[in-house]
Amino acid sequence: MVTSRSAAAARPEGVSLRRRGPVLERAILEAALEQLGRVGWNGLTMEGVAIGAQTGKAAVYRRWPSKEDLVADALQAGLPTLDEAPDLGGVREDLYELCRRVRDVMYSKPGFALRAVLHECDADSAERFHGLIVTGVVEPSARLFRDVMRRGIARGEVRADAIDDLVVDVIPAMMMYRSKVCASEWQDAELAELIDRIMVPLLRV
């Protein structure tokens, strides 16, 4: 008896599955993210994405004429959303939980893919993704950090003049710098130390 798994294993590499429409498009976008995380921006090819999605290269090019177009759509579709700031009753706990959520986005498959794009692609290509990064990552995280600080002000935990662009940038900047330069994976203990040693004293009344 031939099972679906054995049939898939026996299928020659690059042979197309009979998928169309949104199902095929999702498979292609997932394959693009997978390849970005595995081989990086410079190693990503449309042919490699087609093989990963088990479709033909023509099916990829019909939808996305360039790898920049494909990657932009893959990142936009795949990045986890940061919709609402945590409200656990205290600014320290709220910042810690929000940091954990930001870390999970950074180390998700789309997060790895986004960092590959930022670190490897040339200036012209990087400019193409600037708007996506700002609207999909920078602005949502800054808004949530501001929300947490405003609640802290209302509770009397945070001084009224604490919220400004530099303060809001401290956590994202630290996380990106230590991730890229120091290869930190931001374990929970490191996040707690960042909050307790830097942010809480910085915001304290």
Side-chain angles (χ1 to χ4, degrees), residues 174-188:
M174 282 286 295
M175 293 182 75
M176 288 299 294
Y177 167 76
R178 290 182 66 87
S179 174
K180 182 176 180 180
V181 177
C182 307
S184 170
E185 295 186 359
W186 286 105
Q187 302 297 328
D188 287 353

Side-chain angles (χ1 to χ4, degrees), residues 35-45 67-68 111-127 129 133 180:
Q35 190 169 109
L36 269 174
R38 185 162 44 84
V39 301
W41 168 263
N42 292 326
L44 182 142
T45 65
K67 92 172 180 178
E68 287 85 357
F112 276 114
L114 178 59
R115 280 186 284 160
V117 170
L118 290 175
H119 296 170
E120 296 180 37
C121 65
D122 58 37
D124 290 339
S125 297
E127 184 64 26
F129 299 111
I133 294 163
K180 182 176 180 180

Side-chain angles (χ1 to χ4, degrees), residues 79 81-83 98 102 130-147 150 165 168-169 172:
L79 277 173
T81 57
L82 293 168
D83 293 325
L98 182 52
V102 171
H130 178 74
L132 173 63
I133 294 163
V134 169
T135 59
V137 179
V138 176
E139 289 178 348
S141 62
R143 174 177 55 81
L144 297 187
F145 281 116
R146 288 177 184 275
D147 288 347
R150 288 192 189 100
D165 291 342
V168 171
D169 283 346

Side-chain angles (χ1 to χ4, degrees), residues 146-200:
R146 288 177 184 275
D147 288 347
V148 166
M149 293 176 196
R150 288 192 189 100
R151 280 204 288 261
I153 291 172
R155 288 191 294 254
E157 300 175 278
V158 175
R159 68 179 194 279
D161 63 346
I163 303 178
D164 63 40
D165 291 342
L166 289 176
V167 173
V168 171
D169 283 346
V170 168
I171 290 176
M174 282 286 295
M175 293 182 75
M176 288 299 294
Y177 167 76
R178 290 182 66 87
S179 174
K180 182 176 180 180
V181 177
C182 307
S184 170
E185 295 186 359
W186 286 105
Q187 302 297 328
D188 287 353
E190 290 181 275
L191 293 176
E193 190 174 15
L194 170 62
I195 300 305
D196 292 335
R197 294 184 57 189
I198 297 176
M199 290 307 298
V200 169

